[in-house]
Structure formats: structure tokens, C-alpha cells
């Protein structure tokens, strides 16, 4: 294509200017990639911090609503009373667990019996949230056993796992006995099998784990469970999966986003900020390319005039300048993507003494395709004005100048 040959010749005729222009485009793309990877990495880290020790979806029994009773034998409308003593429970939980296991997006399932209780050790008393779990699935939702600092994670028939803050408040350690009194008025002497330290105050100070079979008589639930906690392979799919599970099971399915609305708002605002920075990067690229090509078109008016005088059509001149913009944008975008990826990988390798990356950056999510396409398209758009101006040059005026 002769127009491409001419465009390449024009670019190589002033290599310093062309290199500077490509460097400017590459720098803008590097900023674009870095911001995109940083925003994505920060979102991933915040999501992991929130959901790392919690479920992505919680299944609970449907809320009981008092029914209005009306009939010919009732002079006025009456309301059927709802028992406040009977625990709401999921009776058919084995079937629901089987349904969840058939879902390829589910990574972990934990049927639980949850309730409130108090722990009593001599004169020390503290309130506690008790979670009954299957012993083999204690780490399904929260990594508990790897954080045990005293004892082990073997719950057994009368075992209890408590957090380090709770153990400190009650003066307990592994192997000691403590009295547990539940909200249902049931008491039982349990043995502390292990003390864990997760670093989360809500877990280390308030949560105690027992086996599912131990929890049944404590909370008077011989068959069902109070909730089913679910982990997903893709936490962002929690809302869609929750809607599907609610329709399939008739239970209340609560995704983690609904429990952390402030975090979701922060992530949305963060994403908008990143988008604005990306837009400004693209605008700066467009302005730079347009300015350089406008100057190039002005300096080459005499050459363009001679070509027009020899009968070269204006469409050919238009293509020459559009191809210059295309080459500048494409080459600059490719260099910027490579540079941006290298920068992100290098920054990801900088870690704190604990081995945690200093910057929450995700090099794989740098938006490279978007950067390449948008930058190239922006450079072509930026070349439209100088291309149109050059294609409309009057041959006589250009040669006289």
C-alpha cells in the first residue's frame, strides 16, 4: 500500500519527533495499565479481607410472617401468632447440600447450627456466639485450624475452640473445662481443645466452635440446621448465585455484598476514580498526537501541494495522515502495554517483611486489550483533523508558500 509507505517515510524523516511522540503515547498507556491493575488489585484485596473469613452466601430459613385469619366464624380479623421460642431451622439441609455440591461455582459448604450462649469459668462470665460445624469442615469458611496457637482442632464429642481474646478474658487454655449455657437454657461442661488467633477481633473475641452433634442438644435442634454458609470460586458471582439458590430452595440467600454495602459503595467510587484517570490519560494522548500531526501537516503543505498538482487525490493525502496516527498509536500502545506490565510485575514483587505485597496490584488485570484498542482508536481519531486539513490543501497556494 503506497499510502502506508509514504506515511512511514514521513514518520522516519524526523525520527526524534516521532520517537518523542511514541514515547508520550507509551507513557500514557503505561499510566492507564498501572491504574487499571492497581484498582483491580485493590478491589481483590479488599474483597479477600472482607470475605476471607466469611461466607460469600448465607442460606437462612425464610422469615416467618404472621398470617391474617379471616372467616365467617370470626367477628373481626385475627392474626395467627408466630412462636418466638421455636427455632427457625432448615430441616431438608442434606438435600440442599447435595444441590450445592452439584454447582460448579461453589467451592465450600458449611451447614451450621448458630446461637448465643455464655461461657462461665469460676466467677468470669462472657457472652459468646456458638457455631456448630461438621468437624471435617471447620476450615470450609474460615481458616481456623492453621491459626491455632494452643492445642489442636480436634473438636470431638465435648470439644470447644475459642479465640485468643476470649481465652485471655476467661483465663482459659487448651485442656481446661468451661461451662457453656445456651440461650435455650441448656448447660454443658466442655473442654477447650484449642485456642486460635485469626487477627480479626470479631472472631478472636466472640466466636466459639463446637461440633454439629454437640450443638444439637445445646440448641434443641435434633434434625435441622440454622444456616448454611457457602464459599464461591468467584466472589463477584455471589448476587447471581444467591438469586438462583433462593428460587431453587425457597430459603433466604444473602450475598456478601448485601452485608457489606459500605465496601461495595467504596469499590464503585474507586472504580469511577480509576475510570476518570484513564479517560484523562487517553485525552492527553489524543491531544499530543493531534498537535504533532497538525504541525506535520503545516510543515508539509508544499509537498502536499506538489502531490495535488500532479493529480494525487485528496483521499490519498487523507489516508497518509490517518495511517501516521494509526502507526503512532499502535506502536506506542504496544510499548506502553509491555512497559506497564513490567512495572506492575516489578511493583507486585515488592513485599513487606510479612511477605505481603506493598501495593495491592494485579498485573494480569491491567486492561491491556482495552488500552491497545482505545489508544490506537484515539490516535486515529486525533489524526482526522490534520488529515482533513491536509487533504483540502489548495495546490497553488501551497506551492507559492
Amino acid at each position: 500500500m503506497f499510502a502506508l509507505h509514504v506515511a512511514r517515510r514521513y514518520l522516519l524523516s524526523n525520527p526524534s519527533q516521532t520517537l518523542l511522540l511514541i514515547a508520550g503515547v507509551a507513557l500514557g498507556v503505561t499510566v492507564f495499565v498501572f491504574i487499571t491493575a492497581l484498582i483491580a488489585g485493590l478491589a481483590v484485596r479488599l474483597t479477600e479481607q472482607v470475605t476471607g473469613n466469611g461466607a460469600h452466601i448465607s442460606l437462612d430459613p425464610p422469615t416467618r410472617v404472621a398470617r391474617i385469619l379471616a372467616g365467617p366464624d370470626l367477628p373481626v380479623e385475627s392474626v395467627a401468632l408466630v412462636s418466638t421460642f421455636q427455632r427457625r431451622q432448615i430441616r431438608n439441609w442434606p438435600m440442599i447440600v447435595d444441590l450445592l455440591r452439584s454447582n460448579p461455582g461453589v467451592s465450600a459448604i458449611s451447614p451450621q447450627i448458630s446461637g448465643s450462649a455464655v461461657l462461665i469459668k469460676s466467677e468470669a462470665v462472657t457472652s459468646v456466639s456458638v457455631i456448630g460445624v461438621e468437624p471435617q469442615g471447620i476450615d470450609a469458611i474460615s481458616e481456623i485450624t492453621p491459626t491455632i496457637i494452643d492445642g489442636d482442632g480436634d473438636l470431638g464429642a465435648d470439644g470447644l475452640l475459642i479465640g485468643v481474646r476470649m481465652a485471655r478474658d476467661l483465663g482459659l487454655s487448651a485442656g481446661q473445662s468451661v461451662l457453656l449455657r445456651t440461650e435455650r437454657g441448656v448447660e454443658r461442661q466442655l473442654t477447650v481443645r484449642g485456642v486460635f488467633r485469626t487477627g480479626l477481633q470479631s472472631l478472636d473475641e466472640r466466636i466459639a466452635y463446637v461440633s454439629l452433634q454437640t450443638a444439637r442438644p445445646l440448641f434443641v435442634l435434633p434434625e435441622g440446621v440454622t444456616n448454611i454458609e457457602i464459599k464461591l470460586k468467584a466472589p463477584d458471582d455471589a448476587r447471581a448465585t444467591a438469586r438462583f439458590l433462593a428460587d431453587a430452595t425457597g430459603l433466604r440467600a444473602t450475598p456478601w455484598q448485601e452485608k457489606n454495602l459500605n465496601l461495595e459503595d467504596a469499590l464503585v467510587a474507586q472504580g469511577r476514580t480509576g475510570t476518570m484517570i484513564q479517560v484523562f490519560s487517553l485525552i492527553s494522548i489524543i491531544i499530543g498526537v493531534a498537535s504533532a500531526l497538525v504541525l506535520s501537516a503545516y510543515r508539509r503543505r508544499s509537498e502536499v501541494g506538489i502531490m495535488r498538482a500532479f493529480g494525487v487525490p485528496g483521499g490519498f493525502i487523507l489516508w497518509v495522515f490517518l495511517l501516521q496516527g494509526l502507526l503512532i498509536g499502535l506502536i506506542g500502545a504496544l510499548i506502553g502495554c509491555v512497559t506497564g506490565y513490567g512495572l506492575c510485575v516489578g511493583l507486585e514483587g515488592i513485599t513487606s517483611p510479612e511477605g505481603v505485597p506493598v501495593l495491592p496490584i494485579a498485573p494480569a488485570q491491567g486492561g491491556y486489550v482495552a488500552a491497545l484498542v482505545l489508544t490506537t482508536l484515539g490516535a486515529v481519531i486525533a489524526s482526522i483533523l490534520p488529515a482533513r486539513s491536509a487533504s483540502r490543501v489548495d495546490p497553488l497556494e501551497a506551492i507559492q508558500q
Side-chain angles (χ1 to χ4, degrees):
M1 186 177 181
F2 187 62
L4 180 61
H5 174 74
V6 175
R8 184 168 57 86
R9 180 185 172 190
Y10 278 178
L11 291 175
L12 294 177
S13 65
N14 194 343
S16 59
Q17 176 183 305
T18 302
L19 288 176
L20 187 62
L21 190 55
I22 292 177
V25 173
L27 179 61
V29 173
T30 300
V31 173
F32 184 100
V33 169
F34 170 73
I35 293 298
T36 305
L38 182 63
I39 295 297
L42 185 57
V44 170
R45 177 175 291 188
L46 290 176
T47 301
E48 288 178 348
Q49 288 177 345
V50 170
T51 64
N53 286 293
H56 295 145
I57 299 176
S58 297
L59 291 181
D60 301 283
T63 304
R64 291 184 300 225
V65 180
R67 294 180 295 105
I68 297 178
L69 303 177
D73 299 332
L74 298 174
V76 295
E77 287 187 345
S78 302
V79 177
L81 297 179
V82 175
S83 172
T84 57
F85 183 80
Q86 183 180 7
R87 289 292 303 271
R88 293 186 297 119
Q89 58 182 302
I90 304 172
R91 295 184 183 275
N92 60 337
W93 65 272
M95 296 175 58
I96 296 174
V97 169
D98 290 339
L99 172 66
L100 293 172
R101 285 175 179 159
S102 66
N103 190 322
V106 174
S107 62
I109 308 163
S110 177
Q112 299 179 356
I113 294 178
S114 305
S116 300
V118 292
L119 282 179
I120 304 172
K121 178 64 175 178
S122 300
E123 296 182 355
V125 180
T126 186
S127 59
V128 60
S129 295
V130 179
I131 299 178
V133 297
E134 294 177 320
Q136 68 275 18
I138 188 172
D139 295 323
I141 303 301
S142 303
E143 293 288 338
I144 299 300
T145 54
T147 64
I148 291 178
I149 59 175
D150 184 19
D152 55 49
D154 184 14
L155 289 172
D158 63 345
L160 181 73
L161 296 182
I162 60 175
V164 64
R165 289 174 176 263
M166 187 186 302
R168 187 183 305 125
D169 292 341
L170 294 175
L172 290 171
S173 60
Q176 292 185 312
S177 297
V178 64
L179 180 64
L180 179 73
R181 180 184 299 155
T182 70
E183 60 191 22
R184 296 292 155 174
V186 180
E187 295 183 355
R188 183 171 177 180
Q189 199 79 18
L190 300 176
T191 302
V192 178
R193 300 292 185 187
V195 178
F196 57 83
R197 179 193 288 137
T198 64
L200 294 176
Q201 182 175 351
S202 58
L203 285 177
D204 294 345
E205 190 173 38
R206 288 280 301 165
I207 303 297
Y209 291 93
V210 297
S211 69
L212 203 60
Q213 294 306 315
T214 301
R216 291 198 179 283
L218 288 173
F219 294 97
V220 198
L221 282 177
E223 297 178 354
V225 296
T226 59
N227 55 291
I228 301 175
E229 304 294 284
I230 304 166
K231 281 276 194 180
L232 301 178
K233 295 177 181 177
D236 292 339
D237 296 339
R239 275 203 168 95
T241 306
R243 286 193 295 268
F244 166 77
L245 292 177
D247 294 337
T249 65
L251 302 174
R252 285 191 300 120
T254 307
W256 68 268
Q257 292 96 330
E258 292 185 10
K259 298 179 180 180
N260 301 274
L261 293 177
N262 291 337
L263 172 64
E264 189 175 23
D265 292 341
L267 292 177
V268 171
Q270 173 183 285
R272 290 173 180 168
T273 303
T275 301
M276 291 181 63
I277 296 175
Q278 293 167 347
V279 169
F280 286 132
S281 298
L282 290 175
I283 290 175
S284 66
I285 291 172
I286 292 173
I287 292 175
V289 173
S291 301
L293 292 181
V294 165
L295 292 175
S296 176
Y298 181 79
R299 287 199 306 267
R300 299 185 183 278
R301 283 177 62 85
S302 58
E303 297 179 26
V304 172
I306 293 173
M307 285 191 292
R308 292 300 307 278
F310 276 96
V312 175
F316 178 85
I317 306 299
L318 182 70
W319 269 109
V320 168
F321 282 88
L322 287 178
L323 288 171
Q324 286 186 74
L326 175 65
L327 290 173
I328 292 171
L330 183 59
I331 296 172
L334 287 172
I335 295 174
C337 286
V338 173
T339 306
Y341 179 76
L343 175 65
C344 293
V345 170
L347 293 175
E348 185 187 31
I350 302 175
T351 58
S352 64
E354 293 78 18
V356 179
V358 175
L359 283 178
I361 198 165
Q365 301 184 43
Y368 304 100
V369 174
L372 183 63
V373 172
L374 293 176
T375 301
T376 304
L377 183 61
V380 172
I381 293 174
S383 64
I384 290 177
L385 181 61
R388 286 172 58 87
S389 176
S391 66
R392 294 177 179 179
V393 167
D394 182 81
L396 183 59
E397 292 182 4
I399 294 174
Q400 287 177 346
Q401 290 178 353

